[in-house]
Amino acid sequence: MTVTLENKVGQIAAQHPSATRVFARHSIDFCCGGGRPLKEICEKQGLDAEKVLGEIQKELEAAPAEERRWDKAPLTELIDHIVETFHRPLDEELPRLAAMMEKVVRVHGDKNPEAMRELLEVFTALKGELEEHMHKEEAILFPMIKRGDGSTADGPIEVMLHEHDTAANCLRQLRELTDDYTAPEGACNTWRALWHGLEELERDMHEHIHL
């Protein structure tokens, strides 16, 4: 596949995994927003589409000859990869971020009460959504697929897709509320670590939901 501006970003990410580095660099949503052409997304975000395309081509040139194509892998392997690479780390990361969030809001909430309150509400909603979502995937959907019953899983899949959209919307809100994860002047180490952790969460979630 030769990458062009007309290709959908989700298609690019699936066929050329190394391109996701460029998408992460420019905060391009290739998971829930993956159904739109690269050119359209760049225009909407005020990005130079040709420059972004050039960055993608450089990544492809430097990529290993045999990148792992998860869209070609057996579903059982893909499921195990998702659980081990994303679900289990989130078991630890979500409580860690929640503890930092509580501390930052408690200590610094008076600096921007409305924004801090909304930030806490959005993150708390996202955390709850993700924890419930992962449980349902591991308890219901993934076992169905591993048993070979994936063709009968339209109902659970529809629910999962809706929850993916909800999570993606929370991630967009977090980026807006944190001014693109730019810590304010004089922010303490915990505040800076929280912003960094939320940005890392966004990057990982884009890959997670995409897969």
Side-chain angles (χ1 to χ4, degrees):
M1 171 187 173
T2 301
V3 178
T4 72
L5 293 176
E6 304 308 318
N7 290 133
K8 295 176 181 178
V9 293
Q11 179 188 25
I12 296 172
Q15 299 191 17
H16 300 287
S18 58
T20 60
R21 296 190 187 97
V22 178
F23 296 151
R25 198 178 301 148
H26 295 287
S27 302
I28 292 174
D29 178 3
F30 58 92
C31 53
C32 295
R36 294 181 293 164
L38 177 60
K39 182 179 180 181
E40 178 185 324
I41 289 180
C42 287
E43 289 174 349
K44 184 175 181 180
Q45 295 186 200
L47 300 170
D48 184 329
E50 291 291 347
K51 181 180 178 182
V52 172
L53 180 60
E55 290 181 32
I56 291 173
Q57 290 168 340
K58 284 184 179 179
E59 288 288 349
L60 300 191
E61 290 168 5
E66 294 296 328
E67 277 193 295
R68 185 62 193 265
R69 287 279 303 274
W70 287 108
D71 59 326
K72 301 292 185 181
L75 290 178
T76 53
E77 290 184 21
L78 176 58
I79 287 171
D80 289 342
H81 174 70
I82 289 171
V83 172
E84 293 167 11
T85 306
F86 299 103
H87 285 201
R88 294 293 72 81
L90 281 173
D91 291 341
E92 180 178 346
E93 184 64 3
L94 290 173
R96 185 183 79 89
L97 291 173
M100 287 197 293
M101 179 74 72
E102 189 278 331
K103 181 177 180 180
V104 170
V105 171
R106 173 169 46 83
V107 176
H108 303 287
D110 59 336
K111 294 180 174 63
N112 193 339
E114 185 175 346
M116 284 293 195
R117 184 180 66 253
E118 187 175 358
L119 182 70
L120 179 60
E121 290 174 355
V122 172
F123 176 77
T124 301
L126 175 62
K127 179 177 180 291
E129 180 83 20
L130 290 178
E131 289 170 338
E132 182 179 356
H133 179 86
M134 291 188 296
H135 173 73
K136 286 188 289 189
E137 282 185 332
E138 293 181 36
I140 301 171
L141 179 58
F142 289 170
M144 288 182 71
I145 294 173
K146 284 191 167 186
R147 288 196 307 267
D149 296 333
S151 61
T152 66
D154 288 353
I157 288 173
E158 185 176 350
V159 172
M160 296 298 103
L161 289 174
H162 173 72
E163 292 178 357
H164 284 171
D165 289 339
T166 300
N169 184 55
C170 286
L171 292 172
R172 283 191 290 270
Q173 289 179 278
L174 289 176
R175 177 166 283 276
E176 291 171 2
L177 288 166
T178 58
D179 191 22
D180 290 333
Y181 300 110
T182 304
E185 182 105 15
C188 67
N189 289 335
T190 302
W191 197 339
R192 293 181 184 279
L194 175 61
W195 262 219
H196 176 74
L198 292 175
E199 187 170 23
E200 291 281 303
L201 175 67
E202 179 193 69
R203 189 191 67 237
D204 289 346
M205 284 303 303
H206 282 170
E207 180 72 15
H208 181 178
I209 293 173
H210 167 69
L211 290 176

